[in-house]
Amino acid sequence: MDIFLQQLINGLTLGAVYALVALGYTMVYGIIGLINFAHGEVVMIGTMVAFTIITALASAGGVPTPIIFGAGLLAAVMCCMGLGWGLERVAYRPLRHAPRLAPLITAIGMSILLQNLAMIVWGRNYINFPQMIDKVSYEVGGAIFTNVQVAIVLTAGVTMIGLLYLIFKTKLGAAMRATSQNPHVAALMGVNINRVISLAFIIGSALGAIAGLMVGSYYEIAHYQMGFMLGLKAFTAAVLGGIGNMAGAMVGGLLLGVIEALGAGYIGDLTGGFLGSHYQDIFAFMVLIIVLMFRPSGLFGERTGERA
Amino acid sequence: MQFSRFPGITLALAASIAVIGCGKEEPKPQAAAPAPAAAPAPAAPAAKPEMVVKLGHVAPLTGPIAHLGKDNENGARLAVDDANAKKIEIDGKVVKFELVGEDDQADPKTGTVVAQKLVDAKVAGVVGHLNSGTTIPASAIYNQAGLPQISPSATNPKYTLQGFNTAFRVMANDVQQGSVVGAYAVKELGAKTIAIIDDRTAYGQGLADEVEKAAVAAGAKVVAREYTNDKATDFKAILTKIKSKKPDVIFHGGMDATGGPMLKQMRELKLEAKFTTGDGGCSPELIKLAGEAAEGVYCTQAGLPVDKLPNGQKFVEDFTKKYGQIQIYSPYSYDAIMVLVDAMKRANSVDPVKYLPEVAKTSLDGVTGKIEFDEKGDIKNGAITVFTVKGGKLETLQIQGGTAPAAK
């Protein structure tokens, strides 16, 4: 039982990160129906920028830890917001009325471009991400978790609630929902859709930066290719929950994290050693396929006709 | 790389001018031409004719273990520089070696593509690749082209079991290494139960299988066999599972890039088993990535510790001065280049057909020890060294096998 609890905690932490990244995918998709494959790289850039600022301030000495951490977070969020805005402006806006495939391929292109830029700037090696919080372990029912994990889940939770408030309670949120339903009519009603789409990218990228900092502090390493697999998993989580749906992305992320952890932990025992833990990814993707077979638009997705 | 040809051109021009001066007919200078098609060889006393010989080197220069790839390439570069400094004469010409470095991304498919590229570029020999997973498929291509290939670091036994007369390695293979690790875990570390993790690459899986065999033979029980991949960062799920089986020792068949984070997560989960790993994880990079969690790790390297060798000292000095810290395999890629150069010298030819038989007959005092090959192309009497991490540094614990060359 303690093992089950431990796996659940492992999965929830991983899932919280997936969920935060998945929100970035889902926001953009929900509004303009584009899968921004470069989003994983935005997360990576967030981690790298935070790393640079934190190490610079830490080596300067005399700066209190919370300020270093705050500065790192702020720099990462600002940089990623700029990057998100730039991506939309340079790579996607000119293609908004092009056939669907064009912006999709552009997104993959941007992903490769950003990866290589990061390789030039931050090098090829794994980077040790500085640990700013002193790690404290807690033990509950035989399962161990650290304050970093608690911080990750709490930050993810608070960020998501903030986002839900933004979407459903503010004027900007209403404009976003309107653009998502029908951009032409929204424009006729006086919504500046260019601004709304830019903001969707900016907010999504800010979430990515937060996720990037969380990944960095959790694993204590950063690498220029780290965004790729993370992005792919988060995208899967978004699809699992129903892409375009905020609650779906959160639930999908948490679910995927837990499925992966439990899959790796139990698949070997369940199949009598026939399948090992190297099938953990397959396990996660199988769940995705099965969900999509019965609910083609994901767990929370609505039937959106030709937009889906 | 292109600039380095200029001295060749100038020399050849000087040579041809000297020829004109002698009143003979003017041969067309072709200094930039690659290896065997050599520049004209008039007996000009002013300058000996020069011949450029291209040597290929392949390792992953991008991806998670790019630091190891760069380390290998730097080792090879240092060897090329040293060989050039000696102004070696082959067939009456001064040889200028040129390293053609390629990136295989540690990916077997890319490995075969760059192998073909090197064959097309008419290199005279290849040092590489780094990973077993890339070395094995690429070796078929080099074999077809009749090019000698020396891997400084591919340890999977299959590499030399394919019957290729072109495949060599300057490092002990996984059968030798695995049996040392497995026996060490049981006899010295007192492991009754052992958990094994591998990254599903040809190297990780191959070594883990050998360790499993040796540990079982020595009387330990394998309580968990878990798998990850070479790009993973989260190991908590498999580590949690391993924790429930309470092993005495964990063996990780994989590289330092996964070993470092794995160690940290192990300690976070309060998994107190002793951690052992093979040569791929036996690097300063592992200690950098794992920090304090690396203390008390046991790892093995195929080969003797470089600083214990008479020729090694100088290598360590030269290398650190030029490129910084040695990761793992740069001394081996250095030796691999030297084996090729030495064979060319003895054959008095840079033609792979002529000097390949000499590679097999190598007997060289390298920086990693005495290098002689058996009939398969494996190094004879390869040494295995067991290290432990103490105070943030690798410390030698035990050396098995291997012959140190006599001091010069």
Side-chain angles (χ1 to χ4, degrees):
Chain A
M1 194 57 204
D2 55 332
I3 290 302
F4 179 75
L5 200 62
Q6 183 73 63
Q7 295 290 26
L8 209 59
I9 291 172
N10 297 343
L12 281 177
T13 322
L14 197 60
V17 176
Y18 286 163
L20 215 47
V21 182
L23 281 173
Y25 279 100
T26 238
M27 272 191 79
V28 168
Y29 185 88
I31 291 175
I32 53 170
L34 160 77
I35 297 164
N36 179 15
F37 270 116
H39 189 58
E41 271 59 49
V42 173
V43 176
M44 178 267 296
I45 299 273
T47 319
M48 293 300 196
V49 170
F51 158 78
T52 311
I53 299 293
I54 290 176
T55 24
L57 286 180
S59 62
V63 190
T65 314
I67 293 181
I68 297 181
F69 194 75
L73 181 66
L74 196 70
V77 168
M78 298 307 280
C79 265
C80 285
M81 283 174 140
L83 184 63
W85 178 81
L87 272 180
E88 197 272 333
R89 200 69 191 78
V90 174
Y92 304 140
R93 190 175 293 183
L95 296 171
R96 198 173 294 157
H97 301 291
R100 279 263 161 128
L101 218 48
L104 187 75
I105 298 302
T106 313
I108 294 172
M110 290 314 285
S111 157
I112 296 169
L113 181 78
L114 288 176
Q115 262 189 43
N116 285 285
L117 275 179
M119 187 183 84
I120 293 167
V121 177
W122 286 285
R124 311 179 154 108
N125 290 5
Y126 272 73
I127 290 168
N128 261 12
F129 196 85
Q131 187 57 265
M132 297 311 292
I133 316 168
D134 282 322
K135 253 187 199 165
V136 186
S137 295
Y138 308 102
E139 201 165 336
V140 175
I144 296 158
F145 58 94
T146 62
N147 50 353
V148 176
Q149 277 171 293
V150 176
I152 286 175
V153 175
L154 282 182
T155 317
V158 170
T159 318
M160 288 179 208
I161 292 169
L163 189 66
L164 282 180
Y165 177 82
L166 179 85
I167 300 288
F168 289 103
K169 297 283 178 201
T170 64
K171 211 173 157 192
L172 173 65
M176 282 182 168
R177 281 178 290 141
T179 311
S180 148
Q181 278 168 7
N182 192 326
H184 302 294
V185 179
L188 289 175
M189 296 294 133
V191 174
N192 182 349
I193 50 169
N194 274 340
R195 189 169 151 265
V196 166
I197 291 170
S198 280
L199 277 171
F201 271 93
I202 290 172
I203 296 169
S205 303
L207 296 177
I210 297 173
L213 195 67
M214 287 176 4
V215 177
S217 341
Y218 186 38
Y219 296 117
E220 296 175 38
I221 50 167
H223 191 243
Y224 73 95
Q225 284 182 328
M226 64 184 273
F228 180 72
M229 204 55 199
L230 185 65
L232 209 60
K233 289 279 175 65
F235 173 64
T236 311
V239 174
L240 183 64
I243 192 151
N245 183 300
M246 295 287 158
M250 298 176 200
V251 174
L254 290 175
L255 206 61
L256 189 71
V258 172
I259 291 169
E260 264 187 23
L262 294 182
Y266 291 100
I267 197 168
D269 296 343
L270 285 177
T271 55
F274 175 62
L275 299 176
S277 45
H278 47 310
Y279 285 92
Q280 87 177 84
D281 288 346
I282 292 182
F283 199 68
F285 286 114
M286 251 168 59
V287 172
L288 175 76
I289 291 170
I290 292 167
V291 167
L292 290 185
M293 266 158 60
F294 293 101
R295 289 194 61 90
S297 44
L299 289 173
F300 287 75
E302 298 128 37
R303 298 185 69 89
T304 46
E306 94 265 37
R307 274 182 73 86
Chain B
M1 224 181 299
Q2 294 191 329
F3 287 98
S4 57
R5 276 183 189 155
F6 282 3
I9 292 171
T10 359
L11 271 175
L13 280 177
S16 49
I17 288 164
V19 168
I20 300 164
C22 293
K24 284 181 191 164
E25 269 206 22
E26 182 190 345
K28 216 176 158 60
Q30 14 170 256
K48 279 233 164 78
E50 189 168 290
M51 139 170 91
V52 174
V53 175
K54 286 197 235 172
L55 295 175
H57 179 272
V58 195
L61 302 176
T62 51
I65 54 166
H67 59 284
L68 296 179
K70 201 73 208 162
D71 185 53
N72 277 21
E73 196 179 287
N74 286 341
R77 253 179 225 296
L78 186 63
V80 165
D81 290 348
D82 283 1
N84 283 340
K86 281 184 202 150
K87 301 237 177 296
I88 294 166
E89 276 180 50
I90 291 174
D91 202 15
K93 295 174 208 101
V94 176
V95 179
K96 183 170 167 14
F97 293 100
E98 224 180 69
L99 197 72
V100 184
E102 290 289 344
D103 175 16
D104 66 12
Q105 299 165 13
D107 174 44
K109 289 190 294 292
T110 316
T112 53
V113 173
V114 295
Q116 192 56 52
K117 206 170 145 192
L118 284 179
V119 170
D120 295 343
K122 302 227 183 320
V123 296
V126 175
V127 169
H129 303 193
L130 191 151
N131 307 76
S132 300
T134 47
T135 306
I136 297 167
S139 62
I141 291 170
Y142 300 127
N143 183 255
Q144 240 172 10
L147 274 185
Q149 175 196 12
I150 305 182
S151 174
S153 50
T155 50
N156 191 302
K158 272 185 213 139
Y159 168 51
T160 47
L161 287 177
Q162 306 171 96
F164 292 162
N165 63 342
T166 47
F168 300 90
R169 75 175 120 218
V170 287
M171 176 173 263
N173 67 26
D174 287 340
V175 178
Q176 294 159 302
Q177 193 182 176
S179 62
V180 170
V181 183
Y184 191 87
V186 177
K187 287 179 191 139
E188 307 286 329
L189 304 178
K192 289 191 182 63
T193 50
I194 184 165
I196 294 174
I197 305 170
D198 79 61
D199 66 0
R200 297 277 97 185
T201 60
Y203 161 71
Q205 188 179 349
L207 183 59
D209 286 345
E210 294 302 329
V211 170
E212 182 169 355
K213 265 189 236 162
V216 169
K221 196 170 160 245
V222 176
V223 287
R225 181 80 202 252
E226 296 298 328
Y227 313 95
T228 179
N229 67 67
D230 56 347
K231 289 175 190 70
T233 46
D234 189 282
F235 309 100
K236 282 208 166 160
I238 54 173
L239 291 172
T240 301
K241 189 177 172 205
I242 287 175
K243 196 186 169 196
S244 71
K245 311 275 183 187
K246 299 188 176 59
D248 299 323
V249 169
I250 295 175
F251 175 79
H252 172 230
M255 309 303 287
D256 48 12
T258 45
M262 187 184 287
L263 269 163
K264 266 195 178 159
Q265 289 167 34
M266 245 177 85
R267 300 305 176 218
E268 225 167 80
L269 289 169
K270 300 211 161 54
L271 179 54
E272 300 299 346
K274 287 181 179 121
F275 188 89
T276 56
T277 185
D279 53 327
C282 211
S283 70
E285 183 79 6
L286 178 90
I287 301 168
K288 188 190 114 193
L289 291 177
E292 281 170 25
E295 286 299 298
V297 164
Y298 296 89
C299 63
T300 49
Q301 278 184 19
L304 292 166
V306 181
D307 52 356
K308 294 270 184 300
L309 288 161
N311 303 350
Q313 303 279 14
K314 190 181 168 312
F315 173 80
V316 175
E317 260 169 47
D318 292 353
F319 189 91
T320 23
K321 208 167 15 170
K322 220 165 178 173
Y323 305 107
Q325 195 175 30
I326 295 174
Q327 288 296 344
I328 314 176
Y329 308 116
S330 47
Y332 297 91
S333 56
Y334 181 92
D335 272 358
I337 291 277
M338 286 310 184
V339 166
L340 288 178
V341 171
D342 178 65
M344 288 175 187
K345 229 163 40 179
R346 277 182 287 119
N348 199 25
S349 165
V350 294
D351 183 3
V353 180
K354 292 198 183 111
Y355 86 84
L356 177 63
E358 291 298 328
V359 178
K361 284 185 240 159
T362 295
S363 171
L364 182 76
D365 283 344
V367 297
T368 60
K370 182 101 184 152
I371 297 170
E372 278 173 337
F373 297 113
D374 68 8
E375 66 285 353
K376 295 199 302 290
D378 277 339
I379 189 159
K380 264 190 202 166
N381 198 14
I384 308 284
T385 310
V386 184
F387 292 88
T388 187
V389 179
K390 217 171 164 187
K393 283 206 169 67
L394 288 169
E395 254 181 38
T396 313
L397 277 182
Q398 210 184 61
I399 299 167
Q400 300 208 352
T403 22
K408 271 181 185 166

